[in-house]
Amino acid sequence: MQRHKTAMVRHTLSQPMSLLVRHGLVGPEATVFDYGCGQGDDLRALAAAGVTASGWDPHFAPDVPQVSADVVNLGFVLNVIEDAGERLEALRNAWSLSRKLLAVSTMIIGQVPVDGLRPYGDGYLTSRGTFQKYFQHAELRAVVAQVTGVEPVALAPGIFVAFRCPEDEQDFLLQRRRSRRSSTAGYRVERPRRAAIARPEVHERIATVIEEMAAFAMDRGRLPHPEELTPTGHEKLSHERVSFTRALELCREVAIDEEAFSSATAARREDLLVHHALGILNRTRSASQPSPAIIRDVRAHFGSQRELGEQALEYLHALADAKRTAQAMEVAAELGVGIIDEDGRLVVDAERIESMPGVLRCYIGCAFHLSGEIDGPCLVRLDPLRKRLTLFPLEEWDPPFPVSTRSVSIDLRKQDVYFRLKLRRLVRKADIFGMSPRSKQRQLERQHREQSGLGERIVLEHVAG
Ligand SMILES: C[S@@+](CC[C@H](N)C(=O)[O-])C[C@H]1O[C@@H](n2cnc3c(N)ncnc32)[C@H](O)[C@@H]1O
């Protein structure tokens, strides 16, 4: 199997590496080892940002020594290995090199269509003769847990981090709820230029067009139509005598990271579904008059408006299905977006709604359509059993026990909204923000619970008066 063919040229950090940087797990103070580094573009970007990093790859960098590092990345390697025993071995080796943490990512089921691919072992043979196994998110978690002996933390679907030391894990959990993330701006891939090229290659001559096309693709989860390229882009192409189709091909080859593109596609599909489902529910007039750009999106992602309509209806049925919403809530809680309270309801910081699974965003979108949104700090509580969503505006986040004086409940069954004046205290701020077990906030909350005889999972405490 020609596994190396799976390694693409990257122009930006890979998704797992970018997440590690944004969460502050990778930076100039931590050393990095990229196990199965492919063409090494992540390493070049890390070096450009001042991070000490090296990597090994059986095809591209077989002679580089495998060394220990604070952070080891095993990025999209397990999914290209057809032999299950060898997968475990790669995982074991990578873990043994990591001093602080190991990041493991794979393609996951549903990220790309597998129609037409030839089944092979527990995966598929692609048209390029490479092997791809698409993992279930939970399956990957189990494999990582089995090999490392550590319950890994999910950074995104198909991307896990296993920490050696529980304190580091807790620090990370605290960091991740903070809205301000580290930037990846300094992490640019600078590929070595080939010497003695008389004339730049085509893709270099039309680099601005390729950039424009790639930016469009990552935003919309699909490639642009000729009408969607700017006039300057067209001028450049005709000046360089490159056809639109050829430019697109080059763009895919040199500028589009396939995993990031499939995530962008999945995100755009979900946005369209949520948007359309809300349109059906609220009978929004604009939903029946989509713009040409949306029509193209729908065609690319769903084939037809009718198919989108059917899938959106299916989405709405999911809203009515308490079991499915409950499952989506568990996924959200597992990803650290909110916590489940004593009555099985999900409580989440309103700022984090965009990171929730689509079914829940749809649920919340429906409710917001009835109630309008709330400005300022606010908790959102989803109660799929009673088809209810309640908003708790908070006076401010800063105090250890932030206070809410009123709530807005939206009853999706009755399509009605109820306001209530009631004093409540948030008594699980540490969980909402994922603070460390040793944090002062958690100690305060524990003391408070003991003194007031509050149950462990109570999130909002009623206050008399
Ligand atoms: C899809 S590429 C990913 C490359 C890189 N990590 C990235 O994200 O761009 C998979 C890489 O895994 C490498 N590989 C194949 N078998 C491996 C093994 N047993 N151990 C480590 N790497 C392996 C291949 O040579 C290939 O470069």
Side-chain angles (χ1 to χ4, degrees), residues 3-8 10 14 16 34-39 42 56-60 73-77 79-81 86 90 132 259:
R3 291 184 196 159
H4 65 280
K5 280 197 183 167
T6 58
M8 69 205 36
R10 293 186 184 280
S14 65
D34 199 2
Y35 192 98
C37 59
Q39 308 211 22
D42 270 342
W56 171 86
D57 190 284
H59 181 82
F60 295 97
N73 178 45
L74 186 65
F76 303 106
V77 171
N79 48 296
V80 309
I81 302 179
E86 199 183 328
Q132 281 293 349
E259 289 109 35

Side-chain angles (χ1 to χ4, degrees), residues 350-370:
E351 293 278 303
R352 307 216 54 210
I353 290 171
E354 290 307 315
S355 326
M356 303 177 85
V359 171
L360 301 183
R361 278 168 49 209
C362 194
Y363 197 100
I364 294 172
C366 297
F368 278 175
H369 182 80
L370 291 170

Side-chain angles (χ1 to χ4, degrees), residues 191-198 201 203-204:
R191 300 201 119 232
R193 294 198 168 266
R194 281 189 221 155
I197 296 179
E201 288 194 34
H203 69 82
E204 286 170 321

